[in-house]
Amino acid sequence: MLEPSAHNIIGKVHNTSKYFVVNLLSGNADWLSAQEAETLREGRADEAGGFVERGYLVEREDEERRSREAYLDFLDDRDHDEVQVFFVPWYGCNFACDYCYQHPYGSAPELPSEELLDAFFAYLDEQLAGRRKYLTLFGGEPLLPGEGHRRVIRGFVQRAATRQLELAVVSNGYLLEDYLDELTIAKVRELQVTLDGPQAVHDARRPLAGGGGSFERIVAGVDAALKRDLPVNLRVVLDRENLPSLPALARFAVERGWTASPLFKTQLGRNYELHHCHAKRERLFSRFELYAALFELQQRHPEILAFHRPAYSISRFLFDNDSLPPPLFDSCSGCKTEWAFDHSGRIFSCTATVGKDGEELGRFWPSVERDEDAIADWQDRDVLAIEQCRSCALRLACGGGCASLARNRCGELHAPDCRPIRELLELGMAAYGPQEES
């Protein structure tokens, strides 16, 4: 018997009379009229047109078989995917950002020793032997002033270069220009820095710890990196306070010539609560609220799109590639394609947990210890392991969300961190799809 696919995502394009259907298991997406959308929801095969051929009306057993095959393909691809390895040399920082989630972590009294760095790389050599991988320096702020900090970073990069491991850096960017010689000992994959708006807005949100602005030094660092043909990923952390300044930042980046470089890209981050309550909760967006506000802003200021094209879930991918991405059975990379390590010798699942007491999964120094049960709990989490995800039509686009956020909310990893997939698609179809004639 034919039934509507369990993976149909049917929505109404924002501010239009058009509907759409997206099905990540069949790999198809189509525009629908209101009548077609209703016909498909009800599964009326006699009026279905091409719905069977497109995988929107299915025999349940056949779909379950195809889903199992797609899941096995997903696991196989993930097992051969590249691993991103984060290392935190210290949690100290030279900034006093008013939304920092790491400020309770404190900083180590001593810098990482040569023995600790050797132990870290020895752990990678053994535990991740044969896996493609790259390293990311994280913090705190990894690029701090002082010869001691420089010596640690230089030693880390030299060890990476010896193993021909590519290097990424997540930095506030203040001392980026000063560190370029040390960083380029290895092959640099990406330099991520943050600007939260034009100068006045940014400096108010991300000042130096001792007072003073940081905007001009960061801009100089981006200029210097691009001049040396190093890839730059510019991140903007958004909330209700600084979203209105995004058009001005976009114009600045265009006028600076950054957006013309193939080595320059951008990402928008949402200011949100991670492990503790935010001091200014009233300025935080929910995920959907941010993208709804961003959609309205880009309608008034299309120049934003020269700076950043929002994903709106899988919408941008669909229109850029004229195809859908593969089904996403798991969106959490922790202990699978991501690991994090810190200066105290601890092992963590990812950047969302690194540094948080009680979240460690073992040690790589002074001896190797691994909590295999806890690691397996992370590795087993996916949309088939999360009860609430198994019957959700959005699961192959959502992937179950962030495990760390799910545990913060529910007390366990195998709980969902739900994403507003349908609502984001409704915005994205309006943003990137053909405009409806008036």
Side-chain angles (χ1 to χ4, degrees), residues 233-264:
N233 184 351
L234 190 73
R235 184 169 183 261
V236 188
V237 180
L238 292 172
D239 54 37
R240 298 179 193 278
E241 179 183 78
N242 69 327
L243 181 64
S245 71
L246 186 60
L249 179 61
R251 290 191 294 270
F252 176 87
V254 171
E255 292 165 1
R256 199 82 181 182
W258 293 347
T259 57
S261 171
L263 296 171
F264 180 81

Side-chain angles (χ1 to χ4, degrees), residues 73-249:
D73 288 342
F74 173 84
L75 293 180
D76 185 61
D77 289 343
R78 190 179 66 188
D79 287 344
H80 293 88
D81 202 0
E82 189 175 42
V83 179
Q84 184 175 16
V85 179
F86 290 86
F87 182 77
V88 178
W90 39 74
Y91 292 103
C93 185
N94 52 346
F95 275 25
C97 304
D98 66 1
Y99 54 81
C100 179
Y101 70 90
Q102 288 186 333
H103 63 80
Y105 293 1
S107 189
E110 297 180 357
L111 298 179
S113 66
E114 296 288 321
E115 291 76 16
L116 183 137
L117 293 180
D118 286 338
F120 168 72
F121 281 93
Y123 181 92
L124 299 188
D125 293 342
E126 179 179 344
Q127 297 292 333
L128 293 177
R131 287 296 299 267
R132 293 185 300 117
K133 52 189 173 289
Y134 70 101
L135 305 177
T136 300
L137 280 168
F138 195 65
E141 169 52 44
L143 308 183
L144 289 179
E147 181 52 36
H149 294 101
R150 285 183 178 278
R151 184 174 61 252
V152 172
I153 298 302
R154 191 180 305 117
F156 183 91
V157 177
Q158 286 171 339
R159 287 170 172 83
T162 298
R163 291 164 174 80
Q164 297 184 315
L165 294 174
E166 291 188 1
L167 177 71
V169 183
V170 178
S171 169
N172 60 36
Y174 189 75
L175 292 176
L176 177 61
E177 185 174 11
D178 296 346
Y179 264 95
L180 288 180
D181 287 341
E182 278 96 344
L183 297 178
T184 51
I185 294 170
K187 183 178 180 181
V188 175
R189 173 175 291 206
E190 177 179 284
L191 302 170
Q192 180 187 303
V193 300
T194 300
L195 280 179
D196 271 2
Q199 185 165 4
V201 173
H202 172 90
D203 284 346
R205 292 166 60 88
R206 297 178 65 84
L208 291 169
S214 60
F215 182 88
E216 291 183 346
R217 289 286 297 271
I218 297 169
V219 168
V222 173
D223 285 341
L226 292 175
K227 187 175 181 180
R228 294 177 65 160
D229 294 327
L230 300 175
V232 172
N233 184 351
L234 190 73
R235 184 169 183 261
V236 188
V237 180
L238 292 172
D239 54 37
R240 298 179 193 278
E241 179 183 78
N242 69 327
L243 181 64
S245 71
L246 186 60
L249 179 61

Side-chain angles (χ1 to χ4, degrees), residues 188 281 289:
V188 175
R281 300 181 68 183
E289 287 173 339

Side-chain angles (χ1 to χ4, degrees), residues 277-331:
C277 292
H278 202 287
K280 299 181 180 179
R281 300 181 68 183
E282 69 281 356
R283 80 188 204 194
L284 303 182
F285 284 114
S286 70
R287 191 181 302 274
F288 175 69
E289 287 173 339
L290 171 60
Y291 280 93
L294 187 60
F295 177 88
E296 297 302 327
L297 190 64
Q298 80 179 53
Q299 302 307 301
R300 301 194 305 273
H301 298 279
E303 66 269 26
I304 290 174
L305 295 178
F307 175 74
H308 183 82
R309 298 175 67 247
Y312 297 114
S313 182
I314 56 175
S315 303
R316 186 185 67 196
F317 186 101
L318 172 62
F319 289 103
D320 284 354
N321 298 279
D322 197 27
S323 65
L324 291 171
L328 182 63
F329 288 88
D330 179 25
S331 59

